[in-house]
Amino acid sequence: MTDNVPAHRTVREAAEYIAALSRELATLAARNKLDMLSYLLEMAYAEARDTAHRETETRRVGRRGASSIEAP
């Protein structure tokens, strides 16, 4: 099952990929009146999007923190 899943270098990349897939699947479920599946997939989308955002912010703050420590 995982043979066709692309590898991602970072958590952010994986979360963005999952967000894109879950959003597409949520739309498919909604169009076919699969309300519970649509809801669950929208929740997965929201979690993946939030994770990607947190990872981006963590990296940004980490870079700022590292440069401020190195500066005299």
Side-chain angles (χ1 to χ4, degrees), residues 13-55:
E13 288 177 356
E16 288 174 346
Y17 179 71
I18 292 166
L21 289 178
S22 58
R23 187 62 173 245
E24 187 174 337
L25 289 170
T27 300
L28 176 63
R31 286 183 183 158
N32 287 281
K33 300 184 186 340
L34 300 167
D35 297 333
M36 181 54 79
L37 279 174
S38 177
Y39 170 76
L40 292 171
L41 289 161
E42 283 291 338
M43 295 303 295
Y45 163 75
E47 180 62 25
R49 181 198 61 212
D50 291 350
T51 298
H53 178 73
R54 278 192 308 272
E55 286 295 316

